[in-house]
Amino acid sequence: MSVEPEDSVSTSPVVRWGLGAVLFALLAVSMVFTAAGNGLMIAGAVICGAAACFAAYRAVRAARTGS
């Protein structure tokens, strides 16, 4: 059995960017609910939210270009 992935199994950029958007959004929400007034935690949540928006933008862009 080969350790290398098969050539027929590949993840499209749309799926990768979409998954990144979802994961960053979940992390941002989690950080907001556990922040309890901690400024650095809230700033981190804002950064994660921005990363989620960027990843969602890239996923939509990849879907439109057909990648």
Side-chain angles (χ1 to χ4, degrees):
M1 181 173 217
S2 175
V3 178
E4 297 294 322
E6 294 183 28
D7 292 334
S8 63
V9 178
S10 64
T11 306
S12 72
V14 176
V15 173
R16 286 192 304 251
W17 283 110
L19 183 60
V22 170
L23 292 177
F24 272 114
L26 288 173
L27 181 61
V29 169
S30 173
M31 289 175 77
V32 165
F33 282 120
T34 60
N38 185 348
L40 289 176
M41 194 80 139
I42 293 171
V46 170
I47 291 170
C48 283
C53 290
F54 176 73
Y57 164 76
R58 291 294 304 256
V60 170
R61 189 170 160 203
R64 287 186 179 166
T65 60
S67 295

